[in-house]
Amino acid sequence: MQKPFIIGITGGSGSGKTTFIKQLREGLDEDQVCYLSMDDYYKPIHLQRKDDNGIENFDIPWSIYKREFVRDLSLLMEGKTVHRQEYVFNNEVAEPKTLVFKPAPVIIVEGLFVFHYKKLRKMIDLRIFLHAKDNLKVVRRIKRDRVERNYPLDDVLYRYEFHVLPAYEKYLSPYKEKADIIVNNNTDFGMGLRVVRAFVESLV
């Protein structure tokens, strides 16, 4: 079996990673491109570390089951199928599904810390960093967390100021210059998407 090509995608919260990947995968079969998101590897809320005000911080590397993420990527690279329960971000009205990840010639791994974790970083063949201005990211974050995750507005704003921004500066920003491709998403990522899409199609 030929080694799959691993694409790592990261960017600050609200930079557009999920939308970018969704459009990138449109028209491609799951046997061509597999998508593994770090969002499904968060530890449950009772295991999350708390800040000085007693608020759980989901924006530190410790918040993720790193070893399980690396293990599942390794299994996919070996041609094995992976099953995992969906993480629903502590949304009591959401019903988690069982996710099935199948091996493919191209595997996209996405998350805040895909470049920060040393072992995972070494597994990645192409590094993509999505960039957007802070004011745009916070607006997108508010819309996402209020609508999709049922979070109170005060909670969203607090976490953005005291968790998200410090995490970006410490765990994401240092890797921006080491990315192979930086996709600017201040207005739209159309051109960057077309470039990456053409490359992915050449692999499958």
Side-chain angles (χ1 to χ4, degrees):
M1 174 183 170
Q2 185 176 355
K3 175 188 175 298
F5 192 89
I6 312 301
I7 299 175
I9 299 180
T10 194
S13 179
S15 61
K17 298 186 297 295
T18 302
T19 304
F20 182 86
I21 294 171
K22 180 181 179 181
Q23 294 186 25
L24 176 62
R25 297 172 67 207
E26 285 181 356
L28 296 171
D29 296 332
E30 63 177 15
D31 62 347
Q32 294 178 305
V33 178
C34 175
Y35 169 42
L36 195 65
S37 173
M38 206 165 273
D39 281 356
D40 291 305
Y41 290 79
Y42 275 104
K43 296 174 182 177
I45 191 168
H46 69 275
L47 293 180
Q48 296 293 344
R49 292 179 178 176
K50 297 181 179 181
D51 63 18
D52 294 338
N53 293 314
I55 305 298
E56 294 84 1
N57 189 348
F58 292 85
D59 290 276
I60 53 177
W62 196 86
S63 66
I64 302 289
Y65 283 121
K66 175 183 68 174
R67 291 182 179 178
E68 294 184 14
F69 189 87
V70 172
R71 176 203 65 198
D72 288 353
L73 175 58
S74 298
L75 289 171
L76 288 167
M77 293 174 69
E78 293 170 4
K80 299 175 182 177
T81 299
V82 171
H83 296 82
R84 188 170 185 85
Q85 182 172 294
E86 179 187 24
Y87 188 83
V88 293
F89 295 90
N90 309 295
N91 187 346
E92 296 179 355
V93 301
E95 186 69 28
K97 300 175 292 186
T98 297
L99 304 175
V100 180
F101 305 103
K102 298 181 180 180
V106 175
I107 301 175
I108 297 173
V109 293
E110 173 268 326
L112 294 177
F113 311 116
V114 291
F115 300 158
H116 179 74
Y117 296 140
K118 186 176 180 180
K119 187 172 182 178
L120 177 58
R121 187 170 68 243
K122 290 181 177 180
M123 299 168 75
I124 295 172
D125 299 304
L126 177 69
R127 302 174 189 174
I128 300 174
F129 195 105
L130 261 72
H131 167 76
K133 294 178 181 178
D134 288 338
N135 62 324
L136 296 174
K137 288 189 292 186
V138 69
V139 170
R140 293 167 184 167
R141 169 95 177 201
I142 290 171
K143 290 180 179 178
R144 183 197 69 188
D145 284 357
R146 288 290 293 127
V147 175
E148 297 179 16
R149 300 179 182 174
N150 200 32
Y151 289 175
L153 179 59
D154 288 346
D155 181 72
V156 176
L157 294 175
Y158 176 91
R159 292 179 186 277
Y160 196 88
E161 180 178 358
F162 296 105
H163 297 175
V164 175
L165 285 179
Y168 179 83
E169 293 299 323
K170 187 173 183 179
Y171 302 116
L172 282 90
S173 183
Y175 299 101
K176 183 178 178 181
E177 294 183 358
K178 299 178 182 179
D180 299 299
I181 299 174
I182 298 175
V183 177
N184 192 318
N185 189 25
N186 286 325
T187 52
D188 69 81
F189 49 59
M191 184 58 71
L193 176 66
R194 287 194 287 274
V195 171
V196 177
R197 171 74 183 220
F199 177 71
V200 170
E201 289 178 343
S202 73
L203 297 172
V204 300

